[in-house]
Amino acid sequence: MTSRDGYSWTPQDGLKAGVPSLGVVSPLSNIVSPEVEYDVVVIGAGYCGLTAARNAALEGLKVLLLEGRDRIGGRSWSSNIDGYAFEMGGTWVHWGQANTWREILRYQMEKDIEMSFDFEKGVKHFELNTPDMGVTMTHQEEDQLLAEALNKFTNVDGVYGRKIIPLPHTTFHNPASIPLDSLSAQDRINEIACTLSPRERAVLEASILLASGGTLETTSFHEFMHWWAMCGYSYQGWLDLLITWKFRAGQSTFARRFFDEAVASKRLAYSFDTPVQHIKDAGSGVEITARDGRRFRALRAISAVPLNVLGAVTFDPPLPPGKQQAIGIGHVNQTVKVHAELSNKDLRSWTGITYPHNELHYAIGDGTTPAGNTHVVCFGGQNKHINPEADIPRTKRAVSSLFTPAHYDGQGVQIERLVFHNWSKDEFAKGAWFFPPPKLLINHLEDMRARHGNVVFANSDWALGWRSFIDGAIEEGTRAALEVRRDIDKLKGRGNL
């Protein structure tokens, strides 16, 4: 089935809105009666909401799942075009992400994982293009360059962050880490600028922006260090855990397992194409009002709505000032992610950075399509932000500009297909994965995590571990479902574990 989300372009068909996805739900609702009172309403069917809804249903609660989209997965979903999966949002997984890997083993999907990279044949090189230089090097040289740059950036304590962030799952556990959240990535670069070669600085800045999707000035240095710590304080860990392993058939195959198990419990009602407009806490329970005027009642609510979208939902009583301030600040990630299917088969072993002058600054060969073409996934950020669907010729130029024509018989690359989702214009995301500006977390992490009466707030945006990742979403959904289950057990006079 085809979701209304996403875009695809081919020379034959031009630009088309909507792409097929295994995450599309049909029928859109299984609600039998609007008069039912549920134990819990879960708002949002990304991995956090899916985990919360599944866990609550399996533990005996009567659950209603509401979602504004026509599909599951939230900011992590895949299209399936001509038998090939294009990841529209969150992509990579790893056994070092404990919550995610637990679920992969639960659903016996460990054999469904494959490596993004394949450097066995083809050009087998990395291109670095800046306004002042154009360099081609081996992948070993690429790794050495990136490792040296990232080590200089992260070495705040002589051991690459191990002392200052010793327990990354416990944010700000070490008081010495608190000042890092007042620094931007640009502040840290200024501190070490004299130690960086031009090549190191170019790949460092491009890598920072790949992580944050913001600008160097709006990227929290502490959050970057948090990611680095979660990856084991090393470049190899960074590479392994963030951008190496993915589902062969796409993220939506994984999300489906959560949803289908919840439905099979017979305790899950759901309604898609149902954006929530208002949440009222009546003391004894909650009343949820959808945009279309429908009302749903439950003892508790779990809001799995991302930070940048929470401002579109009204609350009665109003949210406390700290949470409102966090919503007003929001996170900074406005990443542009474009998939390009290219006829040049040798690019399967290619990677490249073209920065800062190109709208897409980082890209890797990510697969081979059934047609034998190379799939390259490209990322851009706020420094040269584009809306890909608004100007396809410009988007094609941004893809082509990643490659030096002289390396490819002087002809450049032949684009057979583009696939993408505009996260900045998505009303249910208003940006890509969470990445905070300086001071947001130190001032408001606990505000974001705090419940509000009978409403529990759960989202990867304020997870403690893999914050902003699929793993963080599962962490938060697990926490919220347990908290609500204990509430309901107490209300109904049941013992809880």
Side-chain angles (χ1 to χ4, degrees):
M1 289 178 287
T2 298
S3 172
R4 63 174 176 267
D5 286 346
Y7 293 88
S8 65
W9 173 91
T10 64
Q12 298 80 20
D13 298 329
L15 181 68
K16 286 187 174 181
V19 296
S21 174
L22 296 174
V24 177
V25 174
S26 180
L28 288 170
S29 177
N30 71 347
I31 294 176
V32 176
S33 169
E35 302 304 318
V36 173
E37 180 173 272
Y38 299 90
D39 291 320
V40 59
V41 174
V42 179
I43 303 164
Y47 276 108
C48 179
L50 289 175
T51 302
R54 180 202 64 186
N55 288 7
L58 293 180
E59 292 181 3
L61 301 189
K62 186 183 295 183
V63 182
L64 172 62
L65 177 64
L66 301 177
E67 168 59 51
R69 308 179 190 276
D70 57 10
R71 59 171 182 81
I72 57 175
R75 289 174 289 184
S76 296
W77 69 289
S78 55
S79 64
N80 193 287
I81 300 175
D82 293 342
Y84 186 83
F86 294 92
E87 295 287 5
M88 312 302 284
T91 302
W92 291 280
V93 297
H94 193 273
W95 47 94
Q97 296 162 345
N99 294 291
T100 303
W101 200 255
R102 181 191 68 232
E103 300 294 346
I104 289 172
L105 294 177
R106 174 196 186 110
Y107 294 123
Q108 300 179 19
M109 296 183 70
E110 63 274 13
K111 293 182 180 179
D112 298 331
I113 307 298
E114 67 177 10
M115 184 178 281
S116 283
F117 302 109
D118 184 354
F119 295 156
E120 293 301 313
K121 57 185 177 180
V123 297
K124 294 189 284 190
H125 69 228
F126 165 72
E127 285 190 51
L128 172 60
N129 296 306
T130 75
D132 301 319
M133 73 179 100
V135 182
T136 300
M137 62 184 75
T138 67
H139 292 301
Q140 183 178 2
E141 292 169 328
E142 172 194 7
D143 288 341
Q144 183 178 354
L145 176 63
L146 280 160
E148 289 175 354
L150 285 165
N151 283 343
K152 290 178 180 179
F153 186 68
T154 59
N155 195 16
V156 293
D157 53 8
V159 286
Y160 311 102
R162 286 179 175 84
K163 286 183 180 178
I164 205 163
I165 304 181
L167 291 171
H169 279 81
T170 309
T171 304
F172 306 119
H173 167 81
N174 181 4
S177 70
I178 292 174
L180 300 185
D181 200 41
S182 293
L183 297 177
S184 69
Q186 184 64 65
D187 292 331
R188 175 58 180 166
I189 288 174
N190 292 343
E191 291 177 351
I192 63 169
C194 63
T195 72
L196 296 170
S197 71
R199 292 184 186 183
E200 288 173 340
R201 181 154 184 168
V203 298
L204 175 61
E205 291 187 2
S207 297
I208 293 167
L209 297 180
L210 176 63
S212 78
T215 66
L216 296 173
E217 293 79 11
T218 60
T219 294
S220 163
F221 178 51
H222 182 279
E223 187 69 353
F224 190 93
M225 288 298 300
H226 176 81
W227 281 35
W228 181 256
M230 293 297 293
C231 291
Y233 312 93
S234 74
Y235 168 72
Q236 189 59 53
W238 182 267
L239 189 67
D240 289 344
L241 278 95
L242 298 189
I243 201 168
T244 297
W245 299 96
K246 63 177 184 174
F247 288 103
R248 185 177 298 107
Q251 278 289 341
S252 290
T253 61
F254 188 39
R256 263 283 167 192
R257 301 298 183 94
F258 291 70
F259 182 70
D260 290 346
E261 185 176 10
V263 171
S265 74
K266 306 298 185 183
R267 287 185 288 272
L268 178 76
Y270 62 82
S271 184
F272 287 73
D273 274 348
T274 307
V276 167
Q277 185 174 38
H278 184 69
I279 300 175
K280 180 177 180 175
D281 186 342
S284 60
V286 293
E287 184 178 83
I288 312 296
T289 304
R291 280 189 202 165
D292 60 12
R294 284 182 294 163
R295 291 191 171 129
F296 308 95
R297 293 175 294 116
L299 296 174
R300 296 290 184 270
I302 295 174
S303 168
V305 177
L307 180 66
N308 282 5
V309 185
L310 265 176
V313 180
T314 58
F315 290 83
D316 179 14
L319 296 176
K323 199 179 286 286
Q324 291 190 39
Q325 289 164 14
I327 293 169
I329 296 167
H331 77 80
V332 302
N333 191 340
Q334 300 298 322
T335 289
V336 176
K337 181 180 183 183
V338 175
H339 297 280
E341 184 178 344
L342 309 175
S343 60
N344 190 321
K345 297 173 176 58
D346 289 339
L347 294 177
R348 182 67 181 89
S349 57
W350 174 94
T351 60
I353 289 175
T354 300
Y355 172 83
H357 53 294
N358 197 38
E359 288 94 340
L360 299 171
H361 60 253
Y362 187 100
I364 61 171
D366 197 33
T368 301
T369 68
N373 297 322
T374 298
H375 162 217
V376 172
V377 58
C378 316
F379 296 88
Q382 287 190 35
N383 63 316
K384 291 278 186 179
H385 195 270
I386 57 171
N387 292 307
E389 75 281 7
D391 191 340
I392 289 295
R394 182 180 177 187
T395 305
K396 290 171 62 181
R397 285 194 300 272
V399 171
S400 298
S401 296
L402 292 161
F403 305 90
T404 303
H407 296 319
Y408 314 103
D409 302 322
Q411 300 300 312
V413 295
Q414 182 65 40
I415 301 173
E416 303 294 340
R417 188 191 310 271
L418 299 174
V419 185
F420 52 89
H421 182 121
N422 191 328
W423 291 106
S424 295
K425 289 192 171 183
D426 182 330
E427 67 169 320
F428 303 120
K430 296 185 179 178
W433 61 88
F434 173 88
F435 208 98
K439 300 183 180 180
L440 174 62
L441 291 183
I442 192 59
N443 290 332
H444 296 298
L445 178 59
E446 294 308 315
D447 293 325
M448 291 188 282
R449 294 177 58 80
R451 67 185 289 168
H452 183 53
N454 290 321
V455 183
V456 175
F457 291 86
N459 195 276
S460 66
D461 290 10
W462 45 85
L464 295 180
W466 286 96
R467 190 163 39 246
S468 84
F469 289 80
I470 294 163
D471 194 88
I474 297 171
E475 170 198 321
E476 279 286 291
T478 301
R479 173 185 69 84
L482 179 58
E483 186 172 339
V484 166
R485 203 283 312 276
R486 287 174 171 168
D487 275 5
I488 302 300
D489 283 348
K490 187 175 180 180
L491 282 173
K492 296 186 177 182
R494 300 190 299 240
N496 60 60
L497 301 178

